[in-house]
Amino acid sequence: MESNIQHNNTGMVSLESICLQRNNLQLNVFVQNVSFEKKVTMRYTTDQWKTFHEIDFEYQLSLFERDRFSLVFPLPRFQQRFHMEFSIRYQSNGLEFWDNNQEKNFCVELTRKSRTKEQPSGFQIQKGRQCQRSIFKDF
């Protein structure tokens, strides 16, 4: 029986960008336009895959033969440190494709910065720390 799942990134789905905006992460994904019906989901964990959750992206626009989907992920308000691993799933026309950072998963690790008069509190990127599976490139 043939599998309709492709776990390596074949270019059908790719994480375009991830940005830290106040207390949110904004993720943008491009997918190949295989059919009209599409579902793009982020599967993530904050406890090293003991449990996981899924959240859907929303369609934004079409560019040539690719569609952009976006997601705003709210960061926890009262947590000093935040660690998340994730991958992106694209389902269309009975097929399923993943962008999972070449089977290492994407990783985000953030530390809340201290409040000063000049800057209100918020998250900043924790630099120099290695995530268990992979470190997400600087963003």
Side-chain angles (χ1 to χ4, degrees):
M1 182 172 145
E2 285 188 22
S3 172
N4 290 338
I5 300 173
Q6 300 210 9
H7 287 281
N8 59 344
N9 187 0
T10 59
M12 297 300 289
V13 56
S14 59
L15 180 63
E16 175 196 17
S17 64
I18 182 168
C19 300
L20 181 62
Q21 296 179 339
R22 297 189 183 231
N23 289 322
N24 297 304
L25 290 175
Q26 178 167 344
L27 295 92
N28 293 307
V29 172
F30 273 120
V31 300
Q32 291 293 326
N33 192 355
V34 175
S35 70
F36 180 75
E37 297 284 328
K38 298 173 187 68
K39 183 172 184 181
V40 182
T41 307
M42 177 176 75
R43 179 175 289 182
Y44 70 95
T45 183
T46 57
D47 60 9
Q48 300 174 341
W49 300 106
K50 293 175 189 159
T51 61
F52 66 86
H53 308 277
E54 293 185 343
I55 186 168
D56 292 336
F57 282 78
E58 292 183 12
Y59 171 80
Q60 296 299 309
L61 58 97
S62 290
L63 296 170
F64 305 103
E65 294 183 12
R66 300 179 80 194
D67 293 337
R68 177 189 274 166
F69 286 76
S70 293
L71 167 69
V72 175
F73 183 85
L75 295 169
R77 293 189 61 184
F78 301 106
Q79 211 171 308
Q80 184 62 28
R81 293 180 186 266
F82 177 75
H83 173 89
M84 175 177 76
E85 293 179 58
F86 68 95
S87 58
I88 308 297
R89 180 178 63 206
Y90 168 40
Q91 297 169 299
S92 182
N93 204 25
L95 300 172
E96 186 172 284
F97 304 94
W98 290 82
D99 185 358
N100 56 12
N101 194 21
Q102 299 173 355
E103 298 184 6
K104 296 181 282 187
N105 297 319
F106 295 99
C107 182
V108 173
E109 190 161 307
L110 304 170
T111 302
R112 189 174 293 279
K113 61 184 177 182
S114 300
R115 177 177 273 184
T116 64
K117 286 184 178 182
E118 294 81 26
Q119 293 187 356
S121 65
F123 280 98
Q124 64 184 10
I125 298 168
Q126 179 70 31
K127 294 191 178 186
R129 296 203 35 144
Q130 293 293 322
C131 296
Q132 280 194 353
R133 295 173 193 239
S134 67
I135 190 159
F136 190 74
K137 56 189 168 189
D138 287 340
F139 57 92

